[in-house]
Amino acid sequence: QVQLVESGGGLVQAGDSLTLSCAMSGFILDFGTIGWFRHGPGKEREGVSTIRNSDGSIGYADSVKGRYTISRDNAKNTVYLKMNRLKPEDTAVYYCAVDTRPLSVLDPPSTWLYWGQGTPVTVSA
């Protein structure tokens, strides 16, 4: 049974930081890529960041590059998304997703196999 559980979302002010967590279970040894996505109001779901299991390579969307950092703790089977200098336009429900293949942040959400339930992030001006 594959499970992804996000946590850490909340209401913050512009300029603040927030760290999201994605706890994984059920298939840990087989994943190819873990990704963070977000779905903002009136927008399509978009890729934010990815990390690959094979070599640890990381990718970011241009909109978050330099502000967000993805990391993983294999001992805890958890992936994190540290978000700094948050902006109102970062407001969204944030999801983690996993696939067995080496995907990138540009691969469409429909490509990914497994999803968490999401955690909301609201950034006030």
Side-chain angles (χ1 to χ4, degrees):
Q1 182 77 14
V2 173
Q3 279 196 318
L4 303 172
V5 180
E6 303 96 333
S7 61
L11 172 63
V12 297
Q13 294 185 330
D16 286 350
S17 298
L18 205 58
T19 298
L20 306 182
S21 301
C22 175
M24 309 179 294
S25 62
F27 62 93
I28 304 305
L29 297 180
D30 298 327
F31 82 84
T33 314
I34 297 173
W36 281 100
F37 291 78
R38 66 185 181 185
H39 195 171
K43 302 178 183 179
E44 294 186 353
R45 189 173 298 194
E46 63 174 348
V48 173
S49 182
T50 56
I51 184 167
R52 291 185 181 175
N53 188 36
S54 59
D55 58 4
S57 59
I58 288 171
Y60 296 99
D62 288 343
S63 58
V64 306
K65 202 170 292 183
R67 298 189 298 121
Y68 288 17
T69 303
I70 191 171
S71 63
R72 64 183 180 182
D73 185 332
N74 290 337
K76 295 182 178 180
N77 295 329
T78 300
V79 173
Y80 303 96
L81 187 69
K82 177 69 181 296
M83 307 183 294
N84 294 324
R85 304 195 307 278
L86 283 161
K87 305 174 182 180
E89 51 264 43
D90 295 319
T91 294
V93 178
Y94 283 72
Y95 301 87
C96 64
V98 176
D99 198 276
T100 56
R101 299 163 293 173
L103 302 180
S104 80
V105 71
L106 297 177
D107 284 297
S110 60
T111 304
W112 295 69
L113 280 177
Y114 305 109
W115 290 83
Q117 83 289 349
T119 184
V121 173
T122 302
V123 184
S124 63

